[in-house]
Amino acid sequence: MTTEAPAPLPHSPFAPDLFQGKRAFVTGGGTGLGLQISRRLAALGAHVSIASRNSEHHAAFLQEAEANGWSASAFVLDVRKLGDIAALVKQLREDGPIDLLVNNAAGNFVCPAERLTEGAWRAVLGIVLDGTFYCTREFGKGMIRDGGGVMLNVVATYAWTGMPGVVHSASAKAGVLAMTRTLAVEWARHKIRVNAIAPGPFESTGASENLWPDEGVKERMVRGIPAGRFATAGEVADHAVWLLSSASDYVTGECFTMDGGASLGQGMWQPGERVR
Ligand code: NAP
């Protein structure tokens, strides 16, 4: 997977200085949804650090940041490595508090449960569940010392609906959702908000290659979405920005679904069918 220059940002509904003076950390912030969240936060004034395993994935964001005068940095990091996260948090906090954490990094692929190897199970649980907890704990310790912060976890609607073929990811995302609700309460006294977003399917290189590798699968999925289409990563990112902002200061432990109605009950009617 390589990154190419993303399309220009649309006109923002948010005040241009919404995140002025804030520092954000976005895992997997160089591609897909993470990139769309990172560029919005940076365009709205935050210093944004992105981190993932492959530095090639950081180039598009760093180039766009330089061209626009955004404040940005990028780090090679595997979120499964607790010691590396702790060292990076220490390094980042030398320049001041980190106010915003977005746990977006993930890995996923379709595999029947009976054929899922121990290694494959561990890989996805390691990135999604362990990685989210490791970042949450290490950045959380800093936020506790610094007097507060905001965290946003990216889950998926199958965390509660389940989805055949992705038992590894569904189990991990369900764990992240439980983590979100638990820490929202546990850390409220430290002025830390912890929320989640649950997107339905949206186009990203990772998802398109691993989850709907051919048009037939994608068409079947779209038929099950009342809104009649996938989301865009940008639409999902706009909602993430809102939850990270002070406009959501009283929202914590919440999981916001953005799936065009796909996870709602449809009774005997197919999406788009006229109710008689
Ligand atoms: P994506 O572009 O493939 O993003 C995944 C990112 O995670 C990549 O930037 C990758 O960078 C990073 N990553 C993977 N393993 C990592 C590790 N061990 N350590 C650090 N970074 C790691 O996919 P996306 O579709 O935008 O997904 C973003 C989030 O949305 C994920 O949490 C996903 O589960 C969620 N989501 C996606 C959909 C969808 O339809 N696309 C639907 C619901 C939820 P490197 O390869 O450089 O490490």
Side-chain angles (χ1 to χ4, degrees), residues 31 33 52-54 57 77-79 104 155 173 199 201-202 204 207:
T31 69
L33 174 60
S52 73
R53 297 161 304 175
N54 184 346
H57 293 160
L77 179 77
D78 186 331
V79 294
N104 163 80
V155 299
K173 295 289 193 187
F202 59 85
S204 74

Side-chain angles (χ1 to χ4, degrees), residues 88-171:
L88 182 54
V89 171
K90 188 165 181 277
Q91 180 188 331
L92 288 169
R93 288 188 72 253
E94 281 167 11
D95 294 327
I98 305 295
D99 309 280
L100 313 168
L101 168 66
V102 181
N103 283 308
N104 163 80
N108 197 11
F109 48 86
V110 175
C111 181
E114 67 277 17
R115 278 199 254 136
L116 194 67
T117 63
E118 185 188 359
W121 168 265
R122 277 271 19 112
V124 172
L125 269 283
I127 300 167
V128 176
L129 186 57
D130 299 349
T132 299
F133 180 65
Y134 294 162
C135 288
T136 297
R137 194 186 78 175
E138 293 309 310
F139 282 92
K141 286 194 287 195
M143 288 178 184
I144 289 170
R145 275 186 229 121
D146 296 328
V150 185
M151 298 183 173
L152 186 71
N153 297 327
V154 181
V155 299
T157 52
Y158 54 64
W160 61 91
T161 64
M163 185 164 120
V166 292
V167 67
H168 41 350
S169 180
S171 304

